[in-house]
Amino acid sequence: MHARKTLFAVTAAFAIAPAFAQEPIMAAADPEALFTDTDPVLHANKQVVLHILREPLQCNHRDEADKWLTERYLQHNPNAVSGRDTIIAYFGPPPRTPTCGKLTMPLVTVLTSGNIVGVVFKVEYDDPRKPGSKYATIWYDQWRVVDGRADEHWDTALLNPPR
């Protein structure tokens, strides 16, 4: 009988909880601080990814991509083709930011395992259940670093709709 009461109590608790409750996703106050490590190899790998996010992506210094990406740069994204030059062309030629300050992307955490560096971003999307509202979730990117440059990249991208 005790197990039945416990099961009822747990079931009742879920029944009164909001169906789509969400804990807030908090971005780091200082995203660049996430790219440090006491292990010198992990630190160096994290720094490669920091530079990719800051220089070519945030600050549009795509002409410096050869510093951070290998020529073959394998791309595991259904919307992009492998190769450093191809991926830089994919992002297009935006105006170069004259100065490049600190990274401002909303990062949640940076994870490392050997030569793999994973980055969790906070992203917001339109809420399909509440027009005019947003909801927060995460995006995940991961790089494999070889000889001081990113050689491979994975992310959580879905296919883009046809143009």
Side-chain angles (χ1 to χ4, degrees):
M1 186 64 158
H2 178 67
R4 188 177 289 167
K5 283 184 182 180
T6 302
L7 178 60
F8 176 76
V10 170
T11 304
F14 281 114
I16 61 172
F20 297 103
Q22 179 182 6
E23 296 298 326
I25 297 171
M26 305 301 292
D30 180 7
E32 291 202 14
L34 301 173
F35 292 92
T36 62
D37 202 289
T38 56
D39 179 303
V41 173
L42 297 180
H43 180 80
N45 290 344
K46 284 182 172 185
Q47 288 295 299
V48 168
V49 173
L50 168 63
H51 285 285
I52 291 168
L53 294 175
R54 193 175 56 207
E55 279 84 26
L57 296 179
Q58 177 178 296
C59 298
N60 303 319
H61 293 191
R62 299 205 177 103
D63 56 324
E64 298 176 12
D66 61 328
K67 292 179 184 178
W68 314 114
L69 306 175
T70 64
E71 186 176 352
R72 80 175 198 138
Y73 190 65
L74 299 176
Q75 181 63 33
H76 303 283
N77 175 318
N79 302 298
V81 178
S82 293
R84 179 179 60 222
D85 294 341
T86 307
I87 197 65
I88 293 305
Y90 171 79
F91 284 105
R96 180 182 165 98
T97 306
T99 59
C100 190
K102 290 187 77 81
L103 186 65
T104 60
M105 296 175 178
L107 302 183
V108 176
T109 194
V110 175
L111 310 163
T112 56
S113 178
N115 66 349
I116 300 292
V117 178
V119 179
V120 178
F121 298 87
K122 176 183 179 181
V123 293
E124 290 188 346
Y125 294 106
D126 292 331
D127 188 331
R129 299 168 308 197
K130 297 179 190 173
S133 297
K134 300 275 187 188
Y135 73 96
T137 189
I138 64 164
W139 179 274
Y140 182 77
D141 275 277
Q142 172 174 290
W143 290 264
R144 185 169 57 84
V145 178
V146 175
D147 297 329
R149 294 189 293 169
D151 188 59
E152 197 163 7
H153 172 258
W154 299 260
D155 61 23
T156 50
L158 301 175
L159 276 173
N160 290 334
R163 292 180 185 197

